[in-house]
């Protein structure tokens, strides 16, 4: 996409602090990190969400995320991290180009990645299970 900021990073039109690149993906530091070392792993082809990425390419993207998570952990001397992928505006996706966040975590970093917990009412768990299974 012409106006996609991540596509423009891939094309070299916008600078980025690249930490890894292969034939299918690119990884760079997030310019507004949750913690220092926070990276984004993106496919080189434009896909808006995880569901748009072909299966063979998403598996490669996850292998890259694993490789980068290990490198971040070793570089900051800590094995704790979050892997986050927001899909769709309601889920907090700001840039409409699929991307995986790898956020290094530290004791007492005050970063909150939490949500309120809901409860299922009577029979709702069974209903949701059955409805989801219909689409698998």
């Amino acid at each position: 996409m012409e106006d996609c900021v991540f596509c423009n990073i891939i094309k070299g039109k916008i600078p980025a602090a690249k930490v890894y690149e292969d034939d299918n993906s690119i990884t760079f530091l997030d310019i507004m990190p949750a913690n220092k070392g926070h990276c984004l792993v993106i496919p080189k082809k434009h896909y808006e969400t995880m569901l748009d990425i072909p299966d063979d390419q998403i598996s490669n993207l996850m292998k890259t995320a694993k490789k980068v998570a290990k490198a971040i952990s070793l570089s900051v001397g800590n094995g704790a991290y979050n892997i986050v992928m927001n899909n769709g505006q309601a889920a907090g996706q700001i840039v409409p180009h699929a991307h995986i966040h790898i956020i290094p975590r530290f004791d007492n970093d005050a970063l909150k990645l939490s949500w309120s917990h809901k409860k299922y009412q009577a029979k709702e768990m069974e209903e949701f299970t059955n409805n989801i299974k219909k689409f698998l």
Side-chain angles (χ1 to χ4, degrees):
M1 290 185 77
E2 259 327 287
D3 59 342
C4 174
V5 65
F6 289 170
C7 288
N8 283 319
I9 287 172
I10 293 162
K11 294 174 188 171
K13 293 180 178 180
I14 296 175
K18 295 178 190 175
V19 298
Y20 179 79
E21 184 172 4
D22 60 27
D23 292 341
N24 302 308
S25 65
I26 187 170
T27 302
F28 51 90
L29 292 176
D30 191 312
I31 61 169
M32 295 177 52
N35 274 327
K36 291 180 181 176
H38 176 170
C39 287
L40 301 177
V41 180
I42 68 170
K44 284 187 173 178
K45 290 186 180 177
H46 184 89
Y47 302 106
E48 191 165 321
T49 69
M50 180 180 74
L51 296 180
D52 301 321
I53 304 172
D55 290 347
D56 62 325
Q57 291 183 37
I58 190 117
S59 62
N60 288 332
L61 201 64
M62 288 307 295
K63 286 176 187 175
T64 297
K66 180 180 177 182
K67 179 185 292 193
V68 172
K70 182 177 180 181
I72 292 170
S73 294
L74 291 169
S75 74
V76 299
N78 186 2
Y81 55 89
N82 289 108
I83 302 264
V84 179
M85 185 172 194
N86 302 325
N87 291 277
Q89 189 175 11
Q93 185 177 10
I94 297 168
V95 177
H97 185 120
H99 56 287
I100 299 170
H101 295 261
I102 304 173
I103 305 167
R105 297 301 307 270
F106 306 94
D107 292 333
N108 303 313
D109 65 12
L111 180 60
K112 303 289 184 224
L113 292 179
S114 63
W115 49 83
S116 61
H117 295 273
K118 311 277 189 247
K119 291 187 178 189
Y120 288 101
Q121 301 302 315
K123 297 190 180 187
E124 274 188 321
M125 192 172 265
E126 183 180 351
E127 290 171 12
F128 273 85
T129 299
N130 291 333
N131 285 336
I132 293 168
K133 284 181 177 182
K134 289 178 192 175
F135 296 97
L136 293 174

